[in-house]
Amino acid sequence: MTINKAKLQDLESIIAIEQQVFNTDSYPAFVLRQLFDISGDYFIVAKEDDKILGYALGGLNTQKKQGWILSLGVHPDARGKGLGKQLTQRLIEVLKAENTKEIALTVYPDNTSAIKIYKDLGFEGNEVLDNYFFDNEDRIVMKKMN
Ligand SMILES: CC(C)(COP(=O)(O)OP(=O)(O)OC[C@H]1O[C@@H](n2cnc3c(N)ncnc32)[C@H](O)[C@@H]1OP(=O)(O)O)[C@@H](O)C(=O)NCCC(=O)NCCS
């Protein structure tokens, strides 16, 4: 298994996983394409034998020196083997290298496997913010100081 910067030819498979795992909450394809265009090293993909198993997408707020984990998805067949954690760890390293002071993310309060990964990697915060995405759903914002 390798984790590398995503290439344009990876994007359709990444979009398919994003739509499969997030359903109606997924980023539309055109948004992912445009995020790909501006994402530099912080759009990464995990592959085995040329098959895409998962991806992680970061973002940067350069004025606040803040990095964001915007999306993380692992194909259902590839879960439970540490891939989500490895992708998150690698994305943290890439965002740290961009001179960020902290890294932030949002997560559903009931997303136990994702929250476990984030806590294991040093993210803190359990304040539940209602209607964060104007969808009448709760989210937790977690942060990790670099
Ligand atoms: C969240 C997600 C990326 C995890 O991927 P993964 O490759 O299975 O993750 P890992 O194998 O690295 O780790 C999962 C951890 O959660 C644990 N876990 C799994 N289900 C769990 C549950 N119901 N309760 C508690 N812990 C759980 C696993 O034991 C593992 O912990 P460990 O490393 O101590 O063994 C994957 O489930 C996914 O794509 N989900 C849909 C998209 C999503 O929710 N993304 C995150 C949005 S913020």
Side-chain angles (χ1 to χ4, degrees):
M1 194 276 297
T2 57
I3 297 179
N4 287 305
K5 180 175 171 176
K7 297 183 184 141
L8 187 54
Q9 64 257 38
D10 301 329
L11 200 53
E12 269 194 272
S13 301
I14 291 172
I15 289 168
I17 295 178
E18 162 91 11
Q19 290 177 344
Q20 182 178 5
V21 303
F22 288 108
N23 299 308
T24 52
D25 282 342
S26 66
Y27 288 123
F30 78 92
V31 172
L32 283 168
R33 169 67 212 243
Q34 300 224 278
L35 288 170
F36 172 85
D37 289 337
I38 63 168
S39 286
D41 291 339
Y42 37 95
F43 199 159
I44 56 174
V45 65
K47 281 189 203 174
E48 195 164 67
D49 300 331
D50 255 3
K51 188 174 169 358
I52 288 171
L53 305 180
Y55 65 93
L57 170 64
L60 272 186
N61 182 330
T62 47
Q63 283 171 341
K64 288 188 179 174
K65 293 191 186 297
Q66 189 179 48
W68 278 84
I69 293 178
L70 296 178
S71 192
L72 167 70
V74 171
H75 190 282
D77 295 345
R79 288 187 192 164
K81 298 175 187 161
L83 190 52
K85 194 184 223 174
Q86 285 179 63
L87 279 162
T88 308
Q89 176 71 59
R90 181 71 69 84
L91 186 56
I92 290 168
E93 286 163 17
V94 175
L95 291 170
K96 263 188 182 177
E98 298 285 342
N99 201 23
T100 51
K101 287 185 184 158
E102 67 170 13
I103 300 173
L105 60 87
T106 68
V107 61
Y108 270 113
D110 61 358
N111 194 343
T112 34
S113 52
I115 290 172
K116 177 161 197 317
I117 291 172
Y118 302 143
K119 283 191 173 161
D120 284 355
L121 294 176
F123 284 86
E124 293 177 340
N126 44 27
E127 189 189 355
V128 177
L129 303 172
D130 62 350
N131 208 22
Y132 185 84
F133 288 120
F134 314 109
D135 57 0
N136 295 314
E137 301 271 2
D138 293 339
R139 293 291 194 293
I140 297 173
V141 176
M142 301 182 82
K143 290 183 179 170
K144 171 186 167 64
M145 299 303 291
N146 289 340

